[in-house]
């Protein structure tokens, strides 16, 4: 018996699997399966942590950074591939601004046509809404015929409709004139603060169209009335108040105003 025990001990010593570096090979399979399950669970916990981290980071972001991202103006966003329509529109706007500034020959007293600036301002005043409204009310109070009163009431309603329509469109577009000029007191009364569309051009075209339709005038007077409407609208371009497109849209706007 002692001999057998000594032989078994010698075999155990000589067995390679009994060395410390190979002890893991002698472990049962259950522990290996448990380790495999543990390793399978660990990635899920890490994934959960990774899923929670973006939410926490989003909550930790300051609201000021979010506001700055939302409040970035569209002008700062560079378009790498602009469309043909956008290029054409920008080119037309650039031409409109350049030509309008060159035609503003009476914008300041020191301009090239500064000597006739007072006359051009007087011509522009004939297309203002306030003189036309007060003048129509004065004529309405002194009219004695029903036909004349009917015509004047229609003209007064058309003037109010023109003022409200132009003021609403200007409030929506909010386009400034080619030259930085503060509106006058009469402009504030008529709500003619912005540039697009031109209120003087719209009003002059509407009044001339109304008078041509309701009054029997000779041919020279008709020509003078149309010429007055054109000069009253374009005078605002000479004064640097409006662009050419503003005046053009103002002339076209009178066709939408019903009398």
């Amino acid at each position: 018996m002692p001999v057998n025990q000594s032989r078994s001990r010698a075999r155990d010593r000589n067995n390679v699997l009994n060395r410390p570096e190979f002890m893991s090979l002698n472990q049962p399979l259950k522990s290996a399966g448990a380790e495999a399950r543990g390793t399978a669970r660990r990635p899920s916990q890490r994934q959960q942590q990774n899923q929670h981290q973006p939410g926490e980071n989003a909550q930790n972001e300051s609201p000021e950074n979010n506001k700055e991202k939302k409040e970035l103006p569209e002008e700062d966003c560079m378009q790498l591939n602009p469309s043909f329509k956008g290029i054409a529109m920008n080119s037309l706007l650039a031409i409109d601004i350049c030509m309008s500034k060159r035609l503003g020959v009476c914008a300041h007293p020191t301009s090239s046509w500064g000597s006739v600036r007072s006359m051009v301002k007087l011509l522009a005043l004939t297309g203002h809404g306030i003189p036309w409204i007060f003048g129509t009310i004065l004529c309405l109070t002194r009219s004695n015929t029903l036909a004349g009163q009917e015509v004047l009431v229609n003209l007064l309603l058309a003037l109010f409709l023109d003022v409200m329509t132009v003021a609403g469109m200007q409030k929506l577009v909010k386009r400034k004139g080619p030259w930085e000029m503060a509106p006058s007191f009469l402009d504030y009364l008529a709500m003619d603060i912005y540039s697009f569309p031109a209120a003087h051009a719209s009003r002059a075209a509407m009044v001339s169209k109304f008078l041509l339709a309701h009054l029997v005038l000779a041919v020279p007077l008709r020509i003078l009335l149309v010429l007055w409407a054109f000069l009253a609208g374009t005078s605002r371009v000479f004064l640097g108040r409006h662009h050419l497109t503003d005046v053009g849209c103002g002339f076209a706007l009178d066709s939408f105003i019903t009398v």
Side-chain angles (χ1 to χ4, degrees):
M1 293 296 294
V3 177
N4 294 330
Q5 290 180 357
S6 60
R7 288 179 180 178
S8 61
R9 290 176 181 174
R11 289 175 183 175
D12 294 336
R13 291 175 183 175
N14 295 327
N15 191 0
V16 180
L17 297 177
N18 290 330
R19 294 180 180 179
E21 57 268 21
F22 297 105
M23 289 297 292
S24 60
L25 298 176
N26 294 329
Q27 294 179 357
L29 295 176
K30 292 182 180 180
S31 60
E35 288 181 358
R37 292 176 185 174
T39 54
R41 291 177 182 174
R42 288 175 184 174
S44 63
Q45 293 177 357
R46 291 177 181 176
Q47 290 177 359
Q48 291 178 359
Q49 291 178 357
N50 293 331
Q51 290 177 357
H52 289 296
Q53 284 179 357
E56 293 176 357
N57 293 332
Q59 292 178 358
N60 292 330
E61 288 183 355
S62 60
E64 295 179 356
N65 295 331
N66 296 331
K67 290 181 180 178
E68 291 179 356
K69 292 178 181 178
K70 292 180 181 178
E71 293 177 357
L72 284 176
E74 295 181 358
E75 297 177 354
D76 294 340
C77 301
M78 182 176 63
Q79 296 180 359
L80 298 178
N81 296 318
S83 61
F84 175 77
K85 183 179 179 181
I87 295 174
M89 289 296 294
N90 291 332
S91 300
L92 290 176
L93 288 175
I95 294 172
D96 179 32
I97 294 172
C98 181
M99 292 184 65
S100 301
K101 285 188 174 182
R102 288 193 176 185
L103 288 175
V105 291
C106 301
H108 302 284
T110 57
S111 301
S112 58
W113 288 16
S115 59
V116 296
R117 187 170 183 266
S118 58
M119 296 178 62
V120 177
K121 290 180 70 176
L122 182 63
L123 179 61
L125 185 62
T126 59
H128 206 282
I130 299 300
W132 275 102
I133 291 174
F134 281 101
T136 304
I137 294 174
L138 181 63
C139 293
L140 183 60
T141 56
R142 295 189 177 185
S143 179
N144 296 324
T145 61
L146 293 176
Q149 291 177 358
E150 183 181 358
V151 172
L152 291 172
V153 168
N154 290 332
L155 179 58
L156 186 62
L157 292 176
L159 289 170
F160 278 117
L161 182 61
D162 176 77
V163 170
M164 298 303 295
T165 304
V166 173
M169 293 183 65
Q170 287 185 358
K171 192 68 176 178
L172 289 175
V173 179
K174 293 183 179 180
R175 187 186 187 188
K176 295 183 179 180
W179 299 92
E180 294 293 335
M181 294 182 179
S184 62
F185 178 72
L186 291 178
D187 292 335
Y188 280 110
L189 289 179
M191 295 179 289
D192 187 12
I193 301 174
Y194 296 101
S195 177
F196 182 88
H200 289 66
S202 174
R203 193 169 303 110
M206 186 273 296
V207 169
S208 64
K209 184 179 179 181
F210 183 90
L211 295 179
L212 290 173
H214 290 82
L215 298 179
V216 180
L217 299 175
V219 176
L221 292 178
R222 289 176 175 267
I223 295 174
L224 287 176
L225 188 60
V226 174
L227 184 61
W228 163 80
F230 176 77
L231 292 177
T234 54
S235 63
R236 300 285 285 181
V237 179
F238 298 147
L239 292 173
R241 296 282 185 175
H242 294 287
H243 301 86
L244 288 174
T245 53
D246 302 336
V247 176
C249 292
F251 283 136
L253 185 62
D254 74 296
S255 61
F256 297 97
I257 299 175
T258 57
V259 178

